[in-house]
Amino acid sequence: DKESADAQNRDLESRLKVNISKIDSLGNGLQTQGEQIRKHEVHASRMHKGLETLSEQTDLLHADQQALRTAHNDAANKQELHRISLTKTQADLNKANKDIHQASKQVFALKDGMAETS
């Protein structure tokens, strides 16, 4: 009876050691997973900050693009105004040339008329 109790006791101790070993192993695995989770959280936090920075840079680039588009439109409008002004100036110059040519003809006609009367 005592031998049977000793055998049961040894069997329980053996099972207890195996179970403690398994619990320790699970604890170590849990600790490793916890460390990996913390590393992933740090990495995720860095990625989030990187995305925020990228978003800010995208907003700045978009604002720059809008400013460039506005400047381009302003330049195109000014160019059109200059083209219109140049066209008007060319028309005025052509009219002035015609007027000068007509005046020149009248001066020659007047000169010829004065030469005939003298």
Side-chain angles (χ1 to χ4, degrees), residues 14 16-17 30 33 36 38 42 45 47 61 70 83 94-95 97 100 103 106 110 114:
S14 174
L16 184 61
K17 285 180 184 180
L30 185 61
Q33 286 179 351
Q36 289 176 348
R38 282 189 288 281
V42 168
S45 175
M47 286 178 55
L61 285 174
T70 299
R83 187 195 64 75
N94 287 338
K95 185 182 180 310
N97 279 337
I100 290 171
Q106 290 174 355
L110 184 59
M114 288 176 68

Side-chain angles (χ1 to χ4, degrees), residues 37-83:
I37 288 172
R38 282 189 288 281
K39 287 179 184 178
H40 289 300
E41 286 174 344
V42 168
H43 184 66
S45 175
R46 287 180 186 156
M47 286 178 55
H48 181 71
K49 287 177 184 177
L51 287 173
E52 285 178 351
T53 300
L54 183 61
S55 175
E56 291 169 3
Q57 290 173 348
T58 301
D59 291 344
L60 291 174
L61 285 174
H62 181 70
D64 288 347
Q65 182 184 22
Q66 290 293 90
L68 286 172
R69 184 176 291 130
T70 299
H72 176 265
N73 289 340
D74 289 347
N77 291 339
K78 286 179 184 178
Q79 182 182 16
E80 181 62 16
L81 291 175
H82 287 274
R83 187 195 64 75

